[in-house]
Amino acid sequence: RVISAAALSEEDLTDAAVVILADVPRIPERLANKLADRVAAGTGLVVIAGPRAESAFYNNWQGIAGPLCPLPIGEETADNTGVSPASSTFVHEALGLFAKNTDLETAQVKRWRKTGERSAGTVLAAAFSNGETFLASRNYGNGRTFLATCALDARSGNLPARKSFV
């Protein structure tokens, strides 16, 4: 189900197996606390840190297992020539299909977020060709959190135009 961030309620989180915050600036504190508890209990969380995501919110979001985000989210960086996801860095099990025979390396991502020091247990799942973080993950209680450092739409580049993206 797609639910706008403004319409998100505690009931929406109750049965969710995975919650994706796609370039959501922030969520209210009571929902953030509820979601942190749900993730610790086994729900998955994907944070897509696009240009609207408020780094202060995500960097300060804590629950019983520490920071929700695997890495602190920094300022957005822009490069008109772009960087590509580097398939040789795809170490996360979710990316196994894309480590070989992929067209993702032909993508040009022109806007992404810098990241800070890793939280304990963070796995750098994939990097860009310039060595900066593309995807990161960490176990969080019985759940898992995943961070994408760029919007996964045309605002960041041509990644969605790649066959492998779908």
Side-chain angles (χ1 to χ4, degrees), residues 146-160:
F146 207 78
L147 171 67
T149 62
C150 64
L152 299 180
D153 59 23
R155 291 174 299 161
S156 288
N158 65 3
L159 185 62

Side-chain angles (χ1 to χ4, degrees), residues 14-112:
T14 302
D15 295 324
V18 176
V19 174
I20 300 171
L21 298 177
D23 199 19
V24 172
R26 63 175 39 246
I27 58 175
E29 184 176 354
R30 72 176 171 69
L31 285 177
N33 292 337
K34 171 81 171 178
L35 183 51
D37 291 345
R38 296 290 307 143
V39 174
T43 296
L45 173 65
V46 178
V47 174
I48 301 171
R52 291 188 299 239
E54 294 180 16
S55 57
F57 167 75
Y58 290 99
N59 295 342
N60 292 313
W61 189 9
Q62 301 261 336
I64 62 171
L68 266 286
C69 280
L71 297 167
I73 300 168
E75 295 299 316
E76 189 176 49
T77 298
D79 179 340
N80 288 334
T81 59
V83 295
S84 301
S87 63
S88 63
T89 68
F90 291 6
V91 298
H92 194 276
E93 64 268 16
L95 301 172
L97 291 173
F98 307 106
K100 294 183 180 174
N101 301 323
T102 181
D103 63 349
L104 294 179
E105 286 190 334
T106 65
Q108 293 298 307
V109 176
K110 297 183 179 190
R111 297 170 62 179
W112 67 95

